[in-house]
């Protein structure tokens, strides 16, 4: 009886996992297709310029402004903190800390710092 | 006499006509076309002059505003420069988070809880270096004992890192383990949308470890790859606790046998709002004198946070799963501890799938700050092992974002356990980023 319940729970869990990742993959494909058709997905977060490709696996990274990088990278995990909340010197340290947390590159971190310092 | 009367009449008519003429200006001589055009031209010129004067006045005011703004900026830059050079405060920031709340669980006493986690970040003069230290001061109920409360003081971070180049950072110390995304990205109470950790990330995932690490990111086209590798003391295998033998202890940072754990994570961001990753860790967690045991842990994670205009809001979908295998071994082989000999297949797994929706695009401010949440999480450990259980939960929650870094959370958890009694739970929490 216990084994039967155990097997049932295992099957249910596996089904949920497969369902979740299946949904995720399907979502990725659909989102990718949609993004390919629409160079600028209608998001309030995105401030991408019109001449940037929506998806390219290889090649040099597109040039992005500080505000765009801030919008894309910081708000992926948490709400954006208002730039005026910290001083220019503090933002430099905080973004350095977040470079480690979010695996940002050096140029990305510097652009974000510039934007936050100009807006603080 | 007639002449006098006639003269008076003529004089009267003359005076009357003069008076009439003064009362009726229309009777003046008509203005010629030329005069009219000149007057019209004069009027237009005056209007133009007035307009020019107004414009000039506006421009002067605008220039004055601009100058004032420039002065403010210059003043702020000077203040920042002074702050930066102030002895002892150069590149030092104290941040962190705090939370407090209330929890009531079936078959347990309800309780308030609180937790403050100061984070000290220091960037020395050489801006390639960064030093981090994070503490955790908590007080709350311990549901596993009869104690009414306990308090704890822990260190979560104590590391120093160095940026070798734009795409590589190395470091050492007590660092956040890049195993999955949860503890690295979503753990702080003002970031985490649920008031508690998923079961698996509370039991079979490392949070912090002592060792050395290298990490960075490599952009490729519009996508980005991230990588993390590390070597650390690793977890410790619990061998002598009859209630927990076979479990890995991630909270003891000492190395029991000289073997080190190695691990890492590879992440891929096909779009800016989507991240997926695979993590692993291999370790030899047995204490000296105990049979050799290996532990191999893997995790897959996915996070997607799109704004869907058609539904006037933002979705937050996250899924992570952990698989943990510890090689089979006999615990308490001579029954010296009173629970052996005990051998079992030490395979554990668990994870969560969560979905959040926040109507960020609606006009109503109160509605815009609400977030509706649902999570399924599960943890399965061998039933025949000490503390073995198959537990799963459904959590339904509503959050209200007071500010971007202050959230009020409420959640109800429906609990299902195979061995112990189910314990449904209601949790209220306020999380603040400092």
């Amino acid at each position: 009886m216990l084994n039967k319940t155990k097997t049932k729970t295992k099957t249910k869990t596996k089904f949920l996992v497969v369902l979740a990742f299946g949904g995720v993959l399907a979502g990725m494909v659909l989102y990718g297709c949609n993004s390919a058709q629409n160079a600028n997905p209608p998001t309030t977060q995105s401030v991408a310029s019109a001449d940037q490709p929506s998806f390219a696996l290889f090649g040099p990274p597109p040039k992005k402004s500080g505000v765009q990088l801030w919008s894309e990278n910081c708000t992926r995990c948490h709400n954006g903190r208002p730039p005026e909340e910290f001083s220019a010197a503090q933002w430099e340290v905080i973004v350095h800390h977040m470079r480690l947390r979010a695996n940002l590159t050096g140029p990305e971190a510097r652009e974000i710092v510039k934007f936050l310092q100009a807006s603080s | 006499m007639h002449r006098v009367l006639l003269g008076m009449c003529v004089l009267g008519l003359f005076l009357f006509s003069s008076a009439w003429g003064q009362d009726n200006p229309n009777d003046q001589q008509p203005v010629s076309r030329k005069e009219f055009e000149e007057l019209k031209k004069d009027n237009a010129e005056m209007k133009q002059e007035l307009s020019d004067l107004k414009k000039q006045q506006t421009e002067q005011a605008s220039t004055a505003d601009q100058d004032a703004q420039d002065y403010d900026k210059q003043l702020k830059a000077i203040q920042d420069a002074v702050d930066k050079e102030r002895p002892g405060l150069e590149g030092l920031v104290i941040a962190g988070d705090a939370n407090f709340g209330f929890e009531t669980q079936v078959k347990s006493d309800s309780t308030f809880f609180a937790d403050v986690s100061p984070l000290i970040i220091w960037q020395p003069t050489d801006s390639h270096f960064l030093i981090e230290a994070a503490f955790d001061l908590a007080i709350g109920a311990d549901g596993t004992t009869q104690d009414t409360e306990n308090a704890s003081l822990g260190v979560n971070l104590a590391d120093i890192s160095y940026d070798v180049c734009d795409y590589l950072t190395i470091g050492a110390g007590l660092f956040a383990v890049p195993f999955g995304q949860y503890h690295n990205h979503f753990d702080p109470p003002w970031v985490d949308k649920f008031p508690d950790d998923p079961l698996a990330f509370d039991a079979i995932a490392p949070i912090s470890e002592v060792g050395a690490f290298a990490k960075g990111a490599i952009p490729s086209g519009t996508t980005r790859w991230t990588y993390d590798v590390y070597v650390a003391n690793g977890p410790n295998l619990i061998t002598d606790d009859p209630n927990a033998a076979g479990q890995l202890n991630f909270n003891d940072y000492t190395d029991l046998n000289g073997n080190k754990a190695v691990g890492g994570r590879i992440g891929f961001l096909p779009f800016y709002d989507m991240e997926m990753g695979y993590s692993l860790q291999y370790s030899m967690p047995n204490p000296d004198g105990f049979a050799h045991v290996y532990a191999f842990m893997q995790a897959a994670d996915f996070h997607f946070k799109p704004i869907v205009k058609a539904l006037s809001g933002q979705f937050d979908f996250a899924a992570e799963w952990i698989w943990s295998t510890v090689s089979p071994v006999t615990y308490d082989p001579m029954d010296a501890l009173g629970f052996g000999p005990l051998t079992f297949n030490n395979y554990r797994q668990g994870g969560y799938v969560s979905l959040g929706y926040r109507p960020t695009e609606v006009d109503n401010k109160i509605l815009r700050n609400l977030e509706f949440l649902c999570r399924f999480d599960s943890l399965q450990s061998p039933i025949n092992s000490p503390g073995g259980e198959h537990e799963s939960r459904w959590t339904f929650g509503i959050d209200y974002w007071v500010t971007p870094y202050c959230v009020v959370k409420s959640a109800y958890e429906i609990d299902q356990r195979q061995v112990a009694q189910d314990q449904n739970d209601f949790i209220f929490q306020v999380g603040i980023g400092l």
Side-chain angles (χ1 to χ4, degrees), chain B residues 228-244:
Chain B
D228 291 86
V229 290
Y230 60 88
V231 55
N233 284 346
N236 295 331
L237 182 68
I238 298 171
T239 58
D240 55 1
D241 184 346
N243 296 314

Side-chain angles (χ1 to χ4, degrees), chain B residues 192-267:
Chain B
D192 192 359
K193 294 171 180 180
F194 293 89
D196 60 356
D197 293 342
L199 292 164
F201 283 85
D202 221 10
I204 58 172
I207 301 173
S208 302
E209 284 184 4
V210 181
F213 62 88
K215 66 192 306 173
I218 301 166
S220 175
T222 57
T223 69
R224 190 149 59 95
W225 294 88
T226 65
Y227 66 89
D228 291 86
V229 290
Y230 60 88
V231 55
N233 284 346
N236 295 331
L237 182 68
I238 298 171
T239 58
D240 55 1
D241 184 346
N243 296 314
Q247 294 178 22
L248 294 174
N249 181 5
F250 297 101
N251 297 320
D252 187 348
Y253 303 133
T254 54
D255 195 331
L256 299 182
N257 60 10
N259 292 309
K260 301 292 174 263
V262 292
R265 178 178 180 270
I266 288 185

Side-chain angles (χ1 to χ4, degrees), chain B residues 76-131:
Chain B
K76 194 172 176 312
I78 292 166
Q79 280 175 341
D80 287 339
V82 169
D83 287 343
K84 199 175 176 181
E85 297 303 322
R86 193 176 291 168
L89 293 176
E90 181 185 345
L92 181 71
V93 171
I94 297 176
D97 54 68
N99 77 85
F100 66 90
F102 176 79
E103 179 176 14
T104 176
Q105 193 173 29
V106 172
K107 309 280 182 195
S108 289
D109 294 331
S110 62
T111 181
F112 288 99
F113 57 89
D115 192 331
V116 177
S117 303
L119 167 67
I120 298 168
I121 324 168
W122 179 36
Q123 181 179 279
T125 315
D126 183 343
S127 61
H128 288 90
F129 282 102
L130 187 74
I131 297 166

Side-chain angles (χ1 to χ4, degrees), chain B residues 305-343:
Chain B
K305 198 177 174 185
I307 289 180
V308 180
K309 286 272 188 185
L311 296 173
S312 302
Q314 186 169 40
F315 285 86
D316 191 342
F317 176 82
E320 298 192 55
W321 211 262
I322 300 170
W323 298 269
S324 167
T325 305
V326 176
S327 56
V329 66
T330 301
Y331 298 89
D332 192 16
M334 308 304 289
D335 198 19
L337 300 168
F339 68 94
L342 181 63
T343 308

